[in-house]
Amino acid sequence: MTAGFWSWAGLAVLFLVAFLLSLFHASLSTFSKISLSRFLEEKDKGFREKTLDLYDETRISVESLRVIFIIAFLIDLSRPVPRIAHWPVWLFLGSLAVFFIFFDYLPRLLNSLNKKGVIGFFLPFFRLVHGIASPLILLLRKIEAKQIEDEIHEASEEEIETFIDEAT
């Protein structure tokens, strides 16, 4: 039970979580809301409605958590091998290779082999992922509401008169 063991164990856990989120992301990207609804036709109506209601936010949650865990994995990659920090080019190239192979290509390949099986595996985790990323979802809702509020802002009489005066 040395620090080396815990560094490697933490790195393995981060890798596993990032890989599973990448696989979840790949499976969600191949299903639209309509195709997911067709896939869930034989499921319970309540479960289907809850899953479809959470679809958009779950997609955002999965994408966000995926990015967070990939960044954490790539940063933590230098901890078990501290000498790699002295070679930033090799660290960058290695990180790039790990990202494209394990977090992009392999999840897409696995998903293409059995799309329905992969999404079926991740269906029970929709609410869990949504719950974990709920602070992020609330923040995004607040930002979106502010943007909509700014777009709806009606011009005052003074602003309209200024606009007309400038146009003439």
Side-chain angles (χ1 to χ4, degrees):
M1 303 265 178
T2 65
F5 170 77
W6 292 111
S7 294
W8 286 106
L11 188 66
V13 168
L14 285 173
F15 175 81
L16 182 64
V17 172
F19 179 76
L20 288 174
L21 285 170
S22 295
L23 188 59
F24 196 2
H25 178 260
S27 68
L28 280 177
S29 65
T30 60
F31 278 90
S32 67
K33 205 170 190 177
I34 294 170
S35 62
L36 185 63
S37 175
R38 287 185 190 136
F39 176 73
L40 295 173
E41 281 179 347
E42 64 266 359
K43 301 280 185 185
D44 179 45
K45 184 178 180 181
F47 176 75
R48 183 176 63 233
E49 287 177 358
K50 286 179 185 176
T51 302
L52 292 175
D53 287 343
L54 294 175
Y55 176 77
D56 293 325
E57 291 180 352
T58 301
R59 219 178 145 139
I60 293 169
S61 300
V62 168
E63 291 172 5
S64 303
L65 290 174
R66 173 183 177 251
V67 169
I68 289 169
F69 277 98
I70 288 173
I71 290 171
F73 170 75
L74 294 176
I75 289 172
D76 198 43
L77 190 62
S78 65
R79 200 166 50 131
V81 187
R83 296 181 72 196
I84 194 100
H86 298 292
W87 298 309
V89 173
W90 290 111
L91 178 63
F92 174 74
L93 292 175
S95 298
L96 198 62
V98 166
F99 172 78
F100 280 117
I101 293 170
F102 294 108
F103 301 127
D104 192 47
Y105 177 71
L106 194 58
R108 289 178 193 266
L109 179 68
L110 291 173
N111 187 55
S112 69
L113 296 175
N114 188 3
K115 288 192 316 189
K116 291 182 178 181
V118 173
I119 196 71
F121 175 77
F122 285 113
L123 276 177
F125 300 107
F126 262 61
R127 299 185 96 196
L128 175 69
V129 170
H130 186 267
I132 291 171
S134 61
L136 178 66
I137 297 295
L138 292 174
L139 180 67
L140 290 174
R141 282 184 190 162
K142 188 175 181 179
I143 291 171
E144 187 177 279
K146 186 177 180 182
Q147 287 176 345
I148 291 172
E149 182 181 300
D150 290 342
E151 290 175 4
I152 295 177
H153 171 74
E154 292 187 26
S156 67
E157 291 293 326
E158 188 176 298
E159 290 173 329
I160 294 172
E161 288 176 16
T162 305
F163 181 70
I164 292 173
D165 290 341
E166 288 179 2
T168 57

